[in-house]
PDB file of all heavy atoms in Angstrom:
ATOM      1  N   LEU A   1     196.767  62.325 -80.727  1.00 91.00           N
ATOM      2  CA  LEU A   1     197.751  63.408 -80.729  1.00 91.00           C
ATOM      3  C   LEU A   1     198.046  63.881 -82.150  1.00 91.00           C
ATOM      4  O   LEU A   1     198.189  65.084 -82.389  1.00 91.00           O
ATOM      5  CB  LEU A   1     199.035  62.960 -80.035  1.00 91.00           C
ATOM      6  CG  LEU A   1     198.936  62.791 -78.525  1.00 91.00           C
ATOM      7  CD1 LEU A   1     200.217  62.173 -77.978  1.00 91.00           C
ATOM      8  CD2 LEU A   1     198.636  64.107 -77.844  1.00 91.00           C
ATOM      9  N   ALA A   2     198.133  62.955 -83.086  1.00 91.00           N
ATOM     10  CA  ALA A   2     198.387  63.330 -84.479  1.00 91.00           C
ATOM     11  C   ALA A   2     197.240  64.176 -85.020  1.00 91.00           C
ATOM     12  O   ALA A   2     197.457  65.204 -85.679  1.00 91.00           O
ATOM     13  CB  ALA A   2     198.586  62.079 -85.337  1.00 91.00           C
ATOM     14  N   VAL A   3     196.014  63.778 -84.724  1.00 92.00           N
ATOM     15  CA  VAL A   3     194.839  64.542 -85.180  1.00 92.00           C
ATOM     16  C   VAL A   3     194.835  65.913 -84.521  1.00 92.00           C
ATOM     17  O   VAL A   3     194.586  66.932 -85.178  1.00 92.00           O
ATOM     18  CB  VAL A   3     193.536  63.764 -84.903  1.00 92.00           C
ATOM     19  CG1 VAL A   3     192.311  64.635 -85.156  1.00 92.00           C
ATOM     20  CG2 VAL A   3     193.479  62.493 -85.754  1.00 92.00           C
ATOM     21  N   ARG A   4     195.138  65.962 -83.229  1.00 92.00           N
ATOM     22  CA  ARG A   4     195.186  67.259 -82.535  1.00 92.00           C
ATOM     23  C   ARG A   4     196.253  68.179 -83.144  1.00 92.00           C
ATOM     24  O   ARG A   4     196.041  69.382 -83.274  1.00 92.00           O
ATOM     25  CB  ARG A   4     195.456  67.066 -81.046  1.00 92.00           C
ATOM     26  CG  ARG A   4     194.265  66.575 -80.282  1.00 92.00           C
ATOM     27  CD  ARG A   4     194.515  66.560 -78.775  1.00 92.00           C
ATOM     28  NE  ARG A   4     193.452  65.878 -78.096  1.00 92.00           N
ATOM     29  CZ  ARG A   4     192.258  66.418 -77.827  1.00 92.00           C
ATOM     30  NH1 ARG A   4     192.005  67.645 -78.187  1.00 92.00           N
ATOM     31  NH2 ARG A   4     191.337  65.710 -77.197  1.00 92.00           N
ATOM     32  N   ARG A   5     197.406  67.599 -83.506  1.00 93.00           N
ATOM     33  CA  ARG A   5     198.462  68.409 -84.139  1.00 93.00           C
ATOM     34  C   ARG A   5     197.968  69.004 -85.451  1.00 93.00           C
ATOM     35  O   ARG A   5     198.222  70.174 -85.741  1.00 93.00           O
ATOM     36  CB  ARG A   5     199.708  67.554 -84.402  1.00 93.00           C
ATOM     37  CG  ARG A   5     200.709  67.558 -83.300  1.00 93.00           C
ATOM     38  CD  ARG A   5     202.067  67.017 -83.730  1.00 93.00           C
ATOM     39  NE  ARG A   5     202.022  65.785 -84.488  1.00 93.00           N
ATOM     40  CZ  ARG A   5     202.032  64.567 -83.969  1.00 93.00           C
ATOM     41  NH1 ARG A   5     202.061  64.408 -82.661  1.00 93.00           N
ATOM     42  NH2 ARG A   5     202.010  63.507 -84.747  1.00 93.00           N
ATOM     43  N   ILE A   6     197.271  68.210 -86.225  1.00 95.00           N
ATOM     44  CA  ILE A   6     196.754  68.692 -87.508  1.00 95.00           C
ATOM     45  C   ILE A   6     195.733  69.795 -87.267  1.00 95.00           C
ATOM     46  O   ILE A   6     195.788  70.858 -87.900  1.00 95.00           O
ATOM     47  CB  ILE A   6     196.146  67.528 -88.324  1.00 95.00           C
ATOM     48  CG1 ILE A   6     197.267  66.574 -88.770  1.00 95.00           C
ATOM     49  CG2 ILE A   6     195.363  68.053 -89.523  1.00 95.00           C
ATOM     50  CD1 ILE A   6     196.784  65.231 -89.297  1.00 95.00           C
ATOM     51  N   ILE A   7     194.823  69.577 -86.337  1.00 91.00           N
ATOM     52  CA  ILE A   7     193.805  70.591 -86.032  1.00 91.00           C
ATOM     53  C   ILE A   7     194.466  71.854 -85.498  1.00 91.00           C
ATOM     54  O   ILE A   7     194.143  72.965 -85.930  1.00 91.00           O
ATOM     55  CB  ILE A   7     192.755  70.040 -85.042  1.00 91.00           C
ATOM     56  CG1 ILE A   7     191.932  68.943 -85.718  1.00 91.00           C
ATOM     57  CG2 ILE A   7     191.854  71.166 -84.526  1.00 91.00           C
ATOM     58  CD1 ILE A   7     191.052  68.151 -84.775  1.00 91.00           C
ATOM     59  N   ASP A   8     195.409  71.698 -84.554  1.00 91.00           N
ATOM     60  CA  ASP A   8     196.100  72.861 -83.987  1.00 91.00           C
ATOM     61  C   ASP A   8     196.797  73.677 -85.075  1.00 91.00           C
ATOM     62  O   ASP A   8     196.812  74.904 -85.034  1.00 91.00           O
ATOM     63  CB  ASP A   8     197.134  72.440 -82.949  1.00 91.00           C
ATOM     64  CG  ASP A   8     196.511  72.004 -81.638  1.00 91.00           C
ATOM     65  OD1 ASP A   8     195.320  72.281 -81.418  1.00 91.00           O
ATOM     66  OD2 ASP A   8     197.229  71.377 -80.829  1.00 91.00           O
ATOM     67  N   ARG A   9     197.391  72.982 -86.025  1.00 93.00           N
ATOM     68  CA  ARG A   9     198.141  73.674 -87.073  1.00 93.00           C
ATOM     69  C   ARG A   9     197.240  74.479 -87.999  1.00 93.00           C
ATOM     70  O   ARG A   9     197.609  75.568 -88.422  1.00 93.00           O
ATOM     71  CB  ARG A   9     198.946  72.670 -87.888  1.00 93.00           C
ATOM     72  CG  ARG A   9     199.757  73.326 -88.982  1.00 93.00           C
ATOM     73  CD  ARG A   9     200.677  72.371 -89.652  1.00 93.00           C
ATOM     74  NE  ARG A   9     201.496  73.080 -90.622  1.00 93.00           N
ATOM     75  CZ  ARG A   9     202.338  72.499 -91.431  1.00 93.00           C
ATOM     76  NH1 ARG A   9     202.506  71.192 -91.386  1.00 93.00           N
ATOM     77  NH2 ARG A   9     203.031  73.209 -92.289  1.00 93.00           N
ATOM     78  N   TRP A  10     196.052  73.953 -88.324  1.00 93.00           N
ATOM     79  CA  TRP A  10     195.243  74.569 -89.372  1.00 93.00           C
ATOM     80  C   TRP A  10     193.974  75.256 -88.906  1.00 93.00           C
ATOM     81  O   TRP A  10     193.346  75.986 -89.685  1.00 93.00           O
ATOM     82  CB  TRP A  10     194.898  73.520 -90.433  1.00 93.00           C
ATOM     83  CG  TRP A  10     196.128  72.967 -91.061  1.00 93.00           C
ATOM     84  CD1 TRP A  10     196.659  71.729 -90.887  1.00 93.00           C
ATOM     85  CD2 TRP A  10     197.032  73.664 -91.918  1.00 93.00           C
ATOM     86  NE1 TRP A  10     197.830  71.602 -91.594  1.00 93.00           N
ATOM     87  CE2 TRP A  10     198.084  72.773 -92.238  1.00 93.00           C
ATOM     88  CE3 TRP A  10     197.070  74.947 -92.454  1.00 93.00           C
ATOM     89  CZ2 TRP A  10     199.140  73.127 -93.062  1.00 93.00           C
ATOM     90  CZ3 TRP A  10     198.112  75.306 -93.276  1.00 93.00           C
ATOM     91  CH2 TRP A  10     199.136  74.402 -93.572  1.00 93.00           C
ATOM     92  N   ALA A  11     193.553  75.082 -87.671  1.00 90.00           N
ATOM     93  CA  ALA A  11     192.257  75.594 -87.213  1.00 90.00           C
ATOM     94  C   ALA A  11     192.081  77.087 -87.430  1.00 90.00           C
ATOM     95  O   ALA A  11     191.034  77.534 -87.885  1.00 90.00           O
ATOM     96  CB  ALA A  11     192.040  75.245 -85.743  1.00 90.00           C
ATOM     97  N   ASP A  12     193.088  77.859 -87.104  1.00 88.00           N
ATOM     98  CA  ASP A  12     192.918  79.313 -87.184  1.00 88.00           C
ATOM     99  C   ASP A  12     193.595  79.921 -88.413  1.00 88.00           C
ATOM    100  O   ASP A  12     193.736  81.128 -88.504  1.00 88.00           O
ATOM    101  CB  ASP A  12     193.411  79.980 -85.907  1.00 88.00           C
ATOM    102  CG  ASP A  12     194.872  79.684 -85.606  1.00 88.00           C
ATOM    103  OD1 ASP A  12     195.497  78.890 -86.337  1.00 88.00           O
ATOM    104  OD2 ASP A  12     195.381  80.255 -84.625  1.00 88.00           O
ATOM    105  N   ARG A  13     193.987  79.083 -89.349  1.00 89.00           N
ATOM    106  CA  ARG A  13     194.613  79.596 -90.576  1.00 89.00           C
ATOM    107  C   ARG A  13     193.587  79.694 -91.694  1.00 89.00           C
ATOM    108  O   ARG A  13     192.597  78.987 -91.715  1.00 89.00           O
ATOM    109  CB  ARG A  13     195.743  78.678 -91.009  1.00 89.00           C
ATOM    110  CG  ARG A  13     196.848  78.636 -89.978  1.00 89.00           C
ATOM    111  CD  ARG A  13     198.147  78.379 -90.628  1.00 89.00           C
ATOM    112  NE  ARG A  13     199.181  78.172 -89.636  1.00 89.00           N
ATOM    113  CZ  ARG A  13     200.292  77.539 -89.883  1.00 89.00           C
ATOM    114  NH1 ARG A  13     200.523  77.038 -91.081  1.00 89.00           N
ATOM    115  NH2 ARG A  13     201.204  77.403 -88.955  1.00 89.00           N
ATOM    116  N   ARG A  14     193.892  80.564 -92.621  1.00 89.00           N
ATOM    117  CA  ARG A  14     193.014  80.750 -93.772  1.00 89.00           C
ATOM    118  C   ARG A  14     193.042  79.495 -94.646  1.00 89.00           C
ATOM    119  O   ARG A  14     194.041  78.791 -94.718  1.00 89.00           O
ATOM    120  CB  ARG A  14     193.438  81.963 -94.577  1.00 89.00           C
ATOM    121  CG  ARG A  14     193.320  83.272 -93.780  1.00 89.00           C
ATOM    122  CD  ARG A  14     193.787  84.466 -94.581  1.00 89.00           C
ATOM    123  NE  ARG A  14     193.103  84.569 -95.851  1.00 89.00           N
ATOM    124  CZ  ARG A  14     191.999  85.278 -96.075  1.00 89.00           C
ATOM    125  NH1 ARG A  14     191.465  85.946 -95.072  1.00 89.00           N
ATOM    126  NH2 ARG A  14     191.446  85.337 -97.256  1.00 89.00           N
ATOM    127  N   LEU A  15     191.942  79.248 -95.314  1.00 89.00           N
ATOM    128  CA  LEU A  15     191.830  78.083 -96.180  1.00 89.00           C
ATOM    129  C   LEU A  15     192.917  78.081 -97.249  1.00 89.00           C
ATOM    130  O   LEU A  15     193.496  77.034 -97.551  1.00 89.00           O
ATOM    131  CB  LEU A  15     190.438  78.028 -96.834  1.00 89.00           C
ATOM    132  CG  LEU A  15     190.223  76.898 -97.831  1.00 89.00           C
ATOM    133  CD1 LEU A  15     190.372  75.540 -97.178  1.00 89.00           C
ATOM    134  CD2 LEU A  15     188.851  77.045 -98.484  1.00 89.00           C
ATOM    135  N   GLY A  16     193.240  79.240 -97.795  1.00 92.00           N
ATOM    136  CA  GLY A  16     194.265  79.325 -98.834  1.00 92.00           C
ATOM    137  C   GLY A  16     195.611  78.771 -98.385  1.00 92.00           C
ATOM    138  O   GLY A  16     196.300  78.093 -99.154  1.00 92.00           O
ATOM    139  N   GLU A  17     195.991  79.044 -97.137  1.00 94.00           N
ATOM    140  CA  GLU A  17     197.253  78.507 -96.599  1.00 94.00           C
ATOM    141  C   GLU A  17     197.219  76.989 -96.541  1.00 94.00           C
ATOM    142  O   GLU A  17     198.181  76.306 -96.884  1.00 94.00           O
ATOM    143  CB  GLU A  17     197.500  79.028 -95.180  1.00 94.00           C
ATOM    144  CG  GLU A  17     197.966  80.449 -95.090  1.00 94.00           C
ATOM    145  CD  GLU A  17     198.213  80.808 -93.633  1.00 94.00           C
ATOM    146  OE1 GLU A  17     199.245  80.378 -93.082  1.00 94.00           O
ATOM    147  OE2 GLU A  17     197.362  81.515 -93.055  1.00 94.00           O
ATOM    148  N   MET A  18     196.086  76.472 -96.077  1.00 95.00           N
ATOM    149  CA  MET A  18     195.947  75.028 -95.971  1.00 95.00           C
ATOM    150  C   MET A  18     195.998  74.387 -97.354  1.00 95.00           C
ATOM    151  O   MET A  18     196.657  73.364 -97.558  1.00 95.00           O
ATOM    152  CB  MET A  18     194.634  74.676 -95.269  1.00 95.00           C
ATOM    153  CG  MET A  18     194.445  73.207 -94.989  1.00 95.00           C
ATOM    154  SD  MET A  18     192.830  72.944 -94.207  1.00 95.00           S
ATOM    155  CE  MET A  18     193.146  71.434 -93.315  1.00 95.00           C
ATOM    156  N   LEU A  19     195.308  74.985 -98.312  1.00 95.00           N
ATOM    157  CA  LEU A  19     195.293  74.435 -99.670  1.00 95.00           C
ATOM    158  C   LEU A  19     196.688  74.463-100.288  1.00 95.00           C
ATOM    159  O   LEU A  19     197.089  73.494-100.942  1.00 95.00           O
ATOM    160  CB  LEU A  19     194.298  75.193-100.547  1.00 95.00           C
ATOM    161  CG  LEU A  19     192.830  75.046-100.164  1.00 95.00           C
ATOM    162  CD1 LEU A  19     191.955  75.868-101.100  1.00 95.00           C
ATOM    163  CD2 LEU A  19     192.391  73.599-100.133  1.00 95.00           C
ATOM    164  N   ASP A  20     197.415  75.549-100.094  1.00 95.00           N
ATOM    165  CA  ASP A  20     198.792  75.609-100.605  1.00 95.00           C
ATOM    166  C   ASP A  20     199.614  74.455-100.055  1.00 95.00           C
ATOM    167  O   ASP A  20     200.346  73.796-100.781  1.00 95.00           O
ATOM    168  CB  ASP A  20     199.471  76.927-100.228  1.00 95.00           C
ATOM    169  CG  ASP A  20     199.006  78.097-101.076  1.00 95.00           C
ATOM    170  OD1 ASP A  20     198.353  77.864-102.115  1.00 95.00           O
ATOM    171  OD2 ASP A  20     199.297  79.245-100.697  1.00 95.00           O
ATOM    172  N   TYR A  21     199.480  74.217 -98.754  1.00 96.00           N
ATOM    173  CA  TYR A  21     200.241  73.122 -98.140  1.00 96.00           C
ATOM    174  C   TYR A  21     199.807  71.764 -98.717  1.00 96.00           C
ATOM    175  O   TYR A  21     200.640  70.956 -99.124  1.00 96.00           O
ATOM    176  CB  TYR A  21     200.060  73.135 -96.619  1.00 96.00           C
ATOM    177  CG  TYR A  21     200.735  71.964 -95.962  1.00 96.00           C
ATOM    178  CD1 TYR A  21     202.115  71.954 -95.784  1.00 96.00           C
ATOM    179  CD2 TYR A  21     200.010  70.848 -95.570  1.00 96.00           C
ATOM    180  CE1 TYR A  21     202.757  70.860 -95.219  1.00 96.00           C
ATOM    181  CE2 TYR A  21     200.639  69.749 -94.997  1.00 96.00           C
ATOM    182  CZ  TYR A  21     202.008  69.766 -94.834  1.00 96.00           C
ATOM    183  OH  TYR A  21     202.630  68.685 -94.284  1.00 96.00           O
ATOM    184  N   VAL A  22     198.514  71.533 -98.740  1.00 96.00           N
ATOM    185  CA  VAL A  22     197.988  70.247 -99.221  1.00 96.00           C
ATOM    186  C   VAL A  22     198.381  70.007-100.680  1.00 96.00           C
ATOM    187  O   VAL A  22     198.841  68.923-101.033  1.00 96.00           O
ATOM    188  CB  VAL A  22     196.449  70.195 -99.045  1.00 96.00           C
ATOM    189  CG1 VAL A  22     195.831  69.071 -99.852  1.00 96.00           C
ATOM    190  CG2 VAL A  22     196.097  70.053 -97.569  1.00 96.00           C
ATOM    191  N   TYR A  23     198.214  71.017-101.518  1.00 96.00           N
ATOM    192  CA  TYR A  23     198.469  70.849-102.953  1.00 96.00           C
ATOM    193  C   TYR A  23     199.962  70.755-103.285  1.00 96.00           C
ATOM    194  O   TYR A  23     200.345  70.030-104.186  1.00 96.00           O
ATOM    195  CB  TYR A  23     197.891  72.021-103.748  1.00 96.00           C
ATOM    196  CG  TYR A  23     196.391  72.174-103.690  1.00 96.00           C
ATOM    197  CD1 TYR A  23     195.789  73.319-104.185  1.00 96.00           C
ATOM    198  CD2 TYR A  23     195.556  71.197-103.141  1.00 96.00           C
ATOM    199  CE1 TYR A  23     194.415  73.488-104.156  1.00 96.00           C
ATOM    200  CE2 TYR A  23     194.185  71.366-103.101  1.00 96.00           C
ATOM    201  CZ  TYR A  23     193.618  72.511-103.612  1.00 96.00           C
ATOM    202  OH  TYR A  23     192.257  72.677-103.581  1.00 96.00           O
ATOM    203  N   LEU A  24     200.786  71.510-102.560  1.00 94.00           N
ATOM    204  CA  LEU A  24     202.187  71.645-102.953  1.00 94.00           C
ATOM    205  C   LEU A  24     203.185  70.946-102.045  1.00 94.00           C
ATOM    206  O   LEU A  24     204.348  70.789-102.431  1.00 94.00           O
ATOM    207  CB  LEU A  24     202.553  73.135-103.032  1.00 94.00           C
ATOM    208  CG  LEU A  24     201.681  73.970-103.959  1.00 94.00           C
ATOM    209  CD1 LEU A  24     202.020  75.449-103.808  1.00 94.00           C
ATOM    210  CD2 LEU A  24     201.814  73.509-105.400  1.00 94.00           C
ATOM    211  N   HIS A  25     202.769  70.526-100.840  1.00 95.00           N
ATOM    212  CA  HIS A  25     203.748  70.018 -99.880  1.00 95.00           C
ATOM    213  C   HIS A  25     203.382  68.679 -99.244  1.00 95.00           C
ATOM    214  O   HIS A  25     203.921  68.350 -98.195  1.00 95.00           O
ATOM    215  CB  HIS A  25     203.991  71.060 -98.782  1.00 95.00           C
ATOM    216  CG  HIS A  25     204.467  72.375 -99.321  1.00 95.00           C
ATOM    217  ND1 HIS A  25     205.744  72.566 -99.796  1.00 95.00           N
ATOM    218  CD2 HIS A  25     203.812  73.549 -99.491  1.00 95.00           C
ATOM    219  CE1 HIS A  25     205.857  73.817-100.227  1.00 95.00           C
ATOM    220  NE2 HIS A  25     204.711  74.431-100.050  1.00 95.00           N
ATOM    221  N   THR A  26     202.468  67.941 -99.836  1.00 96.00           N
ATOM    222  CA  THR A  26     202.170  66.601 -99.312  1.00 96.00           C
ATOM    223  C   THR A  26     202.614  65.572-100.346  1.00 96.00           C
ATOM    224  O   THR A  26     202.438  65.772-101.549  1.00 96.00           O
ATOM    225  CB  THR A  26     200.674  66.427 -98.969  1.00 96.00           C
ATOM    226  OG1 THR A  26     199.875  66.635-100.130  1.00 96.00           O
ATOM    227  CG2 THR A  26     200.258  67.381 -97.853  1.00 96.00           C
ATOM    228  N   GLU A  27     203.188  64.496 -99.840  1.00 97.00           N
ATOM    229  CA  GLU A  27     203.814  63.495-100.711  1.00 97.00           C
ATOM    230  C   GLU A  27     202.879  62.932-101.786  1.00 97.00           C
ATOM    231  O   GLU A  27     203.281  62.820-102.946  1.00 97.00           O
ATOM    232  CB  GLU A  27     204.413  62.348 -99.898  1.00 97.00           C
ATOM    233  CG  GLU A  27     205.547  62.752 -98.986  1.00 97.00           C
ATOM    234  CD  GLU A  27     205.140  62.850 -97.528  1.00 97.00           C
ATOM    235  OE1 GLU A  27     204.024  63.341 -97.240  1.00 97.00           O
ATOM    236  OE2 GLU A  27     205.943  62.444 -96.670  1.00 97.00           O
ATOM    237  N   PRO A  28     201.622  62.560-101.461  1.00 97.00           N
ATOM    238  CA  PRO A  28     200.773  61.983-102.506  1.00 97.00           C
ATOM    239  C   PRO A  28     200.488  62.940-103.667  1.00 97.00           C
ATOM    240  O   PRO A  28     200.200  62.491-104.781  1.00 97.00           O
ATOM    241  CB  PRO A  28     199.480  61.621-101.767  1.00 97.00           C
ATOM    242  CG  PRO A  28     199.911  61.421-100.349  1.00 97.00           C
ATOM    243  CD  PRO A  28     200.993  62.445-100.135  1.00 97.00           C
ATOM    244  N   MET A  29     200.588  64.250-103.431  1.00 96.00           N
ATOM    245  CA  MET A  29     200.321  65.215-104.499  1.00 96.00           C
ATOM    246  C   MET A  29     201.548  65.455-105.386  1.00 96.00           C
ATOM    247  O   MET A  29     201.422  66.047-106.456  1.00 96.00           O
ATOM    248  CB  MET A  29     199.839  66.543-103.908  1.00 96.00           C
ATOM    249  CG  MET A  29     198.411  66.511-103.398  1.00 96.00           C
ATOM    250  SD  MET A  29     197.199  66.150-104.690  1.00 96.00           S
ATOM    251  CE  MET A  29     197.409  67.561-105.771  1.00 96.00           C
ATOM    252  N   GLU A  30     202.726  64.972-104.962  1.00 95.00           N
ATOM    253  CA  GLU A  30     203.924  65.148-105.777  1.00 95.00           C
ATOM    254  C   GLU A  30     203.767  64.383-107.092  1.00 95.00           C
ATOM    255  O   GLU A  30     203.506  63.192-107.093  1.00 95.00           O
ATOM    256  CB  GLU A  30     205.164  64.630-105.037  1.00 95.00           C
ATOM    257  CG  GLU A  30     205.540  65.461-103.846  1.00 95.00           C
ATOM    258  CD  GLU A  30     206.680  64.842-103.044  1.00 95.00           C
ATOM    259  OE1 GLU A  30     207.266  63.825-103.484  1.00 95.00           O
ATOM    260  OE2 GLU A  30     206.967  65.379-101.964  1.00 95.00           O
ATOM    261  N   ARG A  31     203.894  65.087-108.181  1.00 94.00           N
ATOM    262  CA  ARG A  31     203.796  64.511-109.528  1.00 94.00           C
ATOM    263  C   ARG A  31     202.509  63.715-109.748  1.00 94.00           C
ATOM    264  O   ARG A  31     202.483  62.751-110.512  1.00 94.00           O
ATOM    265  CB  ARG A  31     205.030  63.670-109.854  1.00 94.00           C
ATOM    266  CG  ARG A  31     206.298  64.516-109.973  1.00 94.00           C
ATOM    267  CD  ARG A  31     207.518  63.718-110.345  1.00 94.00           C
ATOM    268  NE  ARG A  31     207.989  62.785-109.340  1.00 94.00           N
ATOM    269  CZ  ARG A  31     208.615  63.099-108.213  1.00 94.00           C
ATOM    270  NH1 ARG A  31     208.843  64.356-107.921  1.00 94.00           N
ATOM    271  NH2 ARG A  31     209.023  62.181-107.374  1.00 94.00           N
ATOM    272  N   ALA A  32     201.445  64.094-109.041  1.00 96.00           N
ATOM    273  CA  ALA A  32     200.143  63.434-109.208  1.00 96.00           C
ATOM    274  C   ALA A  32     199.544  63.837-110.551  1.00 96.00           C
ATOM    275  O   ALA A  32     199.795  64.936-111.060  1.00 96.00           O
ATOM    276  CB  ALA A  32     199.204  63.831-108.073  1.00 96.00           C
ATOM    277  N   GLU A  33     198.770  62.944-111.125  1.00 96.00           N
ATOM    278  CA  GLU A  33     198.114  63.217-112.404  1.00 96.00           C
ATOM    279  C   GLU A  33     196.630  63.452-112.159  1.00 96.00           C
ATOM    280  O   GLU A  33     195.983  62.658-111.463  1.00 96.00           O
ATOM    281  CB  GLU A  33     198.286  62.031-113.352  1.00 96.00           C
ATOM    282  CG  GLU A  33     199.715  61.826-113.809  1.00 96.00           C
ATOM    283  CD  GLU A  33     199.806  60.672-114.796  1.00 96.00           C
ATOM    284  OE1 GLU A  33     199.011  60.650-115.767  1.00 96.00           O
ATOM    285  OE2 GLU A  33     200.661  59.795-114.576  1.00 96.00           O
ATOM    286  N   ARG A  34     196.123  64.532-112.741  1.00 95.00           N
ATOM    287  CA  ARG A  34     194.717  64.894-112.565  1.00 95.00           C
ATOM    288  C   ARG A  34     193.808  63.726-112.958  1.00 95.00           C
ATOM    289  O   ARG A  34     193.994  63.098-113.986  1.00 95.00           O
ATOM    290  CB  ARG A  34     194.398  66.127-113.412  1.00 95.00           C
ATOM    291  CG  ARG A  34     193.014  66.667-113.156  1.00 95.00           C
ATOM    292  CD  ARG A  34     192.895  68.071-113.573  1.00 95.00           C
ATOM    293  NE  ARG A  34     193.714  68.818-112.593  1.00 95.00           N
ATOM    294  CZ  ARG A  34     194.286  69.968-112.839  1.00 95.00           C
ATOM    295  NH1 ARG A  34     194.153  70.556-113.968  1.00 95.00           N
ATOM    296  NH2 ARG A  34     194.998  70.579-111.934  1.00 95.00           N
ATOM    297  N   GLY A  35     192.857  63.424-112.073  1.00 96.00           N
ATOM    298  CA  GLY A  35     191.898  62.364-112.314  1.00 96.00           C
ATOM    299  C   GLY A  35     192.373  60.981-111.910  1.00 96.00           C
ATOM    300  O   GLY A  35     191.612  60.026-111.950  1.00 96.00           O
ATOM    301  N   LYS A  36     193.624  60.865-111.499  1.00 97.00           N
ATOM    302  CA  LYS A  36     194.208  59.571-111.135  1.00 97.00           C
ATOM    303  C   LYS A  36     194.275  59.421-109.612  1.00 97.00           C
ATOM    304  O   LYS A  36     194.349  60.412-108.884  1.00 97.00           O
ATOM    305  CB  LYS A  36     195.627  59.434-111.703  1.00 97.00           C
ATOM    306  CG  LYS A  36     195.721  59.596-113.191  1.00 97.00           C
ATOM    307  CD  LYS A  36     195.320  58.337-113.885  1.00 97.00           C
ATOM    308  CE  LYS A  36     195.568  58.541-115.380  1.00 97.00           C
ATOM    309  NZ  LYS A  36     195.162  57.482-116.183  1.00 97.00           N
ATOM    310  N   PRO A  37     194.304  58.158-109.129  1.00 97.00           N
ATOM    311  CA  PRO A  37     194.446  57.934-107.681  1.00 97.00           C
ATOM    312  C   PRO A  37     195.761  58.506-107.161  1.00 97.00           C
ATOM    313  O   PRO A  37     196.776  58.500-107.862  1.00 97.00           O
ATOM    314  CB  PRO A  37     194.456  56.407-107.556  1.00 97.00           C
ATOM    315  CG  PRO A  37     193.798  55.906-108.800  1.00 97.00           C
ATOM    316  CD  PRO A  37     194.129  56.912-109.871  1.00 97.00           C
ATOM    317  N   LEU A  38     195.731  58.995-105.928  1.00 97.00           N
ATOM    318  CA  LEU A  38     196.941  59.494-105.280  1.00 97.00           C
ATOM    319  C   LEU A  38     197.731  58.327-104.713  1.00 97.00           C
ATOM    320  O   LEU A  38     197.157  57.353-104.220  1.00 97.00           O
ATOM    321  CB  LEU A  38     196.581  60.493-104.180  1.00 97.00           C
ATOM    322  CG  LEU A  38     195.916  61.780-104.669  1.00 97.00           C
ATOM    323  CD1 LEU A  38     195.561  62.680-103.498  1.00 97.00           C
ATOM    324  CD2 LEU A  38     196.793  62.513-105.660  1.00 97.00           C
ATOM    325  N   ASP A  39     199.051  58.447-104.774  1.00 97.00           N
ATOM    326  CA  ASP A  39     199.946  57.378-104.353  1.00 97.00           C
ATOM    327  C   ASP A  39     200.456  57.651-102.937  1.00 97.00           C
ATOM    328  O   ASP A  39     201.395  58.411-102.739  1.00 97.00           O
ATOM    329  CB  ASP A  39     201.113  57.269-105.331  1.00 97.00           C
ATOM    330  CG  ASP A  39     202.077  56.153-104.997  1.00 97.00           C
ATOM    331  OD1 ASP A  39     201.817  55.396-104.032  1.00 97.00           O
ATOM    332  OD2 ASP A  39     203.096  56.043-105.710  1.00 97.00           O
ATOM    333  N   PHE A  40     199.823  57.010-101.961  1.00 97.00           N
ATOM    334  CA  PHE A  40     200.212  57.208-100.564  1.00 97.00           C
ATOM    335  C   PHE A  40     201.493  56.462-100.215  1.00 97.00           C
ATOM    336  O   PHE A  40     202.064  56.686 -99.157  1.00 97.00           O
ATOM    337  CB  PHE A  40     199.077  56.807 -99.627  1.00 97.00           C
ATOM    338  CG  PHE A  40     198.012  57.871 -99.506  1.00 97.00           C
ATOM    339  CD1 PHE A  40     197.065  58.032-100.503  1.00 97.00           C
ATOM    340  CD2 PHE A  40     197.974  58.725 -98.424  1.00 97.00           C
ATOM    341  CE1 PHE A  40     196.092  59.015-100.424  1.00 97.00           C
ATOM    342  CE2 PHE A  40     197.006  59.716 -98.319  1.00 97.00           C
ATOM    343  CZ  PHE A  40     196.068  59.858 -99.328  1.00 97.00           C
TER     344      PHE A  40
END
């Protein structure tokens, strides 16, 4: 169900929308340092 929710949310959206969300609104990307591991 979690995977289906993710697919349902992003399947018909433009890549740019998805990238904005991934880069700016996911916890591991908050204050992440380029080249460093992400903190889950």
Side-chain angles (χ1 to χ4, degrees):
L1 289 173
V3 171
R4 285 187 190 281
R5 269 195 314 272
I6 292 167
I7 292 169
D8 286 345
R9 181 172 184 185
W10 299 108
D12 58 355
R13 297 210 187 158
R14 297 178 55 93
L15 176 61
E17 284 182 76
M18 185 182 206
L19 294 179
D20 284 347
Y21 175 77
V22 165
Y23 297 169
L24 304 172
H25 302 286
T26 59
E27 296 103 320
M29 286 298 297
E30 291 174 7
R31 293 182 292 287
E33 292 183 50
R34 187 159 290 154
K36 303 280 185 184
L38 295 178
D39 182 4
F40 280 78

